[in-house]
Amino acid sequence: MPIDIERTGAVATITVNNPDRLNALNSTLLKELYATIRSVAADDAIRAIVFTGAGDRSFIAGADISEMAGLTEHEAQAFARLGHAVASAFEQAPQPVIAAVNGFALGGGCELALAADFRFASENAVFAQPEVGLGIPPGWGGTQRLVRAVGEGFAAEMIYTGRRVKADEALHVGLVNRVVPQGEVLETARLTAVAIADNAGSAVRLSKRLIQRGREAASAAALAEEAHAFASVFGGHDQREGMDAFLAKREAAFDHE
Ligand code: COA
């Protein structure tokens, strides 16, 4: 299955399982991921959720560029909304969500990791928002959640440059809570999930709800604007060129007029 779900006691682990594509997410996978999160969120027996990617190279290498390359503005709006729905399904789940980032967390991968309550990383984890190199802005919440996680200046640098941030730097700026040796991140996240699940479930859920409350109002309008801006560049030269260049494995020639 491209989205795996494993329940052990009160902990559910959701795994994006498409390692040949470095767990990049197309709309079919996104819909399945959304349905999986919603079903786990509705399961009262689950008291903590771990979210990860299959394999030892990648958490999620972002939205599927081969699908995005051909989107119209209208379709891009729907694609952004789908990414937002998945992110907000994690945020709205009553149980805490821990992202176990085991490699590339690029673009949409970084954005979905940011929708978790907190993140642990393996030593080979790499975070980036490389969208501007593809001719588009971030579209799954990066302009909002990254800013909240690491502050406006560092988020702006990441988004404007697209540069890759390795695990030790991610720890330094507070993007992740912990860095552990490669191969241990999932187990570390699960042990923390078990520790959460051993606490009073109602108090943990209330705590998550209260943390969530603080950011809801401002976020909704800004996210709607992000989806609109993301879609608005589709069909333009830079989006077509940026994605065609990635798919053809060549440098993009952007319009610098
Ligand atoms: N969308 C679609 N396909 C992707 C992808 C994505 N976001 N990320 C990786 N893949 C595919 C590659 O095209 C490749 O497919 P192929 O075997 O059919 O050629 C496969 O996954 C393996 O990736 P590859 O690029 O060969 O691995 P690598 O180790 O050389 O590079 C990355 C790894 C992550 C650095 C590189 O794949 C990359 O830059 N991916 C795009 C990341 C990105 O921009 N994400 C944000 C999108 S908004």
Side-chain angles (χ1 to χ4, degrees):
M1 289 288 283
I3 306 294
D4 291 336
I5 166 89
E6 188 201 312
R7 291 175 168 85
T8 305
V11 173
T13 302
I14 298 173
T15 305
V16 177
N17 187 0
N18 187 19
D20 289 348
R21 306 283 283 181
L22 302 179
N23 304 318
L25 290 169
N26 60 25
S27 49
T28 306
L29 284 176
L30 275 175
K31 284 177 191 158
E32 198 182 321
L33 180 56
Y34 177 78
T36 303
I37 301 163
R38 296 286 298 215
S39 86
V40 171
D43 184 345
D44 288 338
I46 296 300
R47 294 196 296 278
I49 299 169
V50 173
F51 177 46
T52 194
D56 56 5
R57 289 199 62 215
S58 185
F59 171 69
I60 296 169
D64 189 323
I65 299 167
S66 58
E67 177 174 351
M68 278 197 298
L71 297 182
T72 63
E73 179 173 348
H74 184 69
E75 291 164 341
Q77 178 85 238
F79 195 61
R81 297 260 180 221
L82 196 50
H84 283 177
V86 170
S88 85
F90 278 130
E91 281 185 345
Q92 303 290 334
Q95 308 90 339
V97 179
I98 307 171
V101 179
N102 54 320
F104 293 118
L106 307 179
C110 185
E111 290 168 302
L112 294 189
L114 286 160
D117 290 74
F118 56 88
R119 291 148 289 285
F120 292 164
S122 57
E123 283 166 346
N124 66 326
V126 178
F127 296 81
Q129 296 290 158
E131 286 89 345
V132 294
L134 293 164
I136 58 173
W140 292 357
T143 61
Q144 305 307 303
R145 294 190 184 90
L146 186 60
V147 170
R148 282 202 300 269
V150 300
E152 200 171 304
F154 198 84
E157 182 192 337
M158 281 183 72
I159 292 170
Y160 303 160
T161 65
R163 89 169 164 87
R164 294 186 190 165
V165 170
K166 292 186 180 162
D168 53 348
E169 192 178 9
L171 180 65
H172 181 67
V173 298
L175 186 47
V176 303
N177 290 12
R178 218 183 279 189
V179 178
V180 298
Q182 192 174 358
E184 290 179 20
V185 67
L186 184 55
E187 191 51 23
T188 306
R190 279 185 170 145
L191 287 173
T192 302
V194 169
I196 291 170
D198 284 345
N199 286 325
S202 56
V204 171
R205 286 174 184 230
L206 269 177
S207 302
K208 173 162 179 171
R209 183 77 197 123
L210 290 167
I211 290 171
Q212 168 76 2
R213 282 289 290 163
R215 57 179 185 241
E216 261 166 7
S219 199
L223 286 173
E225 192 161 333
E226 185 194 73
H228 180 75
F230 173 84
S232 72
V233 301
F234 275 75
H237 171 271
D238 284 352
Q239 176 266 326
R240 280 183 281 121
E241 170 61 12
M243 295 188 183
D244 288 351
F246 174 81
L247 297 173
K249 303 184 192 295
R250 62 169 172 80
E251 285 288 308
F254 290 122
D255 190 354
H256 293 300
E257 285 302 299

